[in-house]
């Protein structure tokens, strides 16, 4: 950089730093995408699901779940809550983004899915604790969770 003005050297230096940071961010996102894909591939498929393999689950859900995982990864440490856990897609994405963090999964007690072995296996795969309750009566104090995930059917 000999012969360049000080201002130009600073701009080049900042550009290189930004390029490195952007490259690092892309690598983290790619790694997170792969972790979410792998988490979805480990979920059990129950007999009541229309999908018979993991390919349609991944194809139909990966993009939105990567966004959820990115949001989960950027937050402060703390518990996360997945409301309406269903087959565990969102819980798998949150777990991929926050390994080792506390994860609670709420399902309404009237849902038959909670009686299936696949649902219990999903809880184990996602390493989450189940709550059977109506979401309107959540047993958490204000500020008890950093991330709350819910999907409207």
């Amino acid at each position: 950089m000999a012969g360049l003005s000080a201002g130009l050297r600073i701009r080049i230096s900042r550009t290189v730093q930004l390029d490195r940071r952007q490259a690092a961010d892309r690598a983290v996102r790619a790694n997170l995408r792969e972790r979410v894909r792998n988490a979805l591939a480990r979920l059990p498929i129950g007999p009541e699901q229309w999908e018979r393999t993991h390919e349609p689950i991944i194809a139909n859900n990966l993009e939105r779940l990567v966004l959820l995982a990115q949001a989960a990864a950027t937050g402060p440490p703390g518990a996360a809550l997945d409301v309406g856990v269903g087959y565990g897609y969102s819980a798998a994405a949150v777990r991929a983004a926050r390994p080792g963090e506390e994860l609670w999964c709420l399902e309404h007690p009237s849902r038959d899915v909670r009686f299936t072995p696949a649902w219990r296996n999903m809880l184990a795969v996602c390493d989450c604790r189940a709550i059977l309750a109506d979401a309107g009566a959540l047993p958490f104090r204000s500020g008890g969770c950093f991330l709350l995930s819910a999907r409207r059917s």
Side-chain angles (χ1 to χ4, degrees):
M1 286 209 241
L4 296 177
S5 71
L8 185 55
R9 278 193 301 251
I10 290 171
R11 274 183 266 166
I12 290 171
S13 176
R14 285 184 185 153
T15 302
V16 169
Q17 288 173 354
L18 287 175
D19 288 345
R20 286 182 186 150
R21 195 173 315 139
Q22 289 170 344
D25 288 346
R26 281 193 296 271
V28 167
R29 282 195 301 273
N31 183 17
L32 187 55
R33 182 182 184 82
E34 191 59 29
R35 289 193 333 241
V36 171
R37 178 187 299 278
N38 291 340
L40 290 172
R42 287 192 309 270
L43 289 174
I45 297 176
E48 68 283 351
Q49 288 177 258
W50 66 267
E51 302 98 338
R52 292 291 156 229
T53 67
H54 288 97
E55 285 79 14
I57 294 170
I58 292 168
N60 294 327
N61 296 284
L62 186 61
E63 296 308 317
R64 77 174 173 84
L65 293 173
V66 168
L67 292 174
L68 174 62
Q70 288 172 346
T74 60
L81 172 65
D82 184 5
V83 176
V85 67
Y87 302 118
Y89 303 167
S90 296
V94 172
R95 176 54 66 216
R98 299 174 71 89
E101 294 284 341
E102 191 172 20
L103 176 57
W104 293 82
C105 295
L106 184 139
E107 189 58 71
H108 197 276
S110 67
R111 291 276 321 268
D112 289 339
V113 69
R114 66 190 178 89
F115 295 112
T116 67
W119 196 75
R120 289 188 297 278
N121 290 340
M122 176 275 301
L123 294 174
V125 166
C126 293
D127 187 25
C128 60
R129 297 177 65 181
I131 304 169
L132 299 176
D134 186 327
L138 291 174
F140 293 100
R141 69 187 185 289
S142 179
C145 290
F146 152 69
L147 178 73
L148 175 68
S149 166
R151 182 168 179 225
R152 195 173 189 178
S153 300

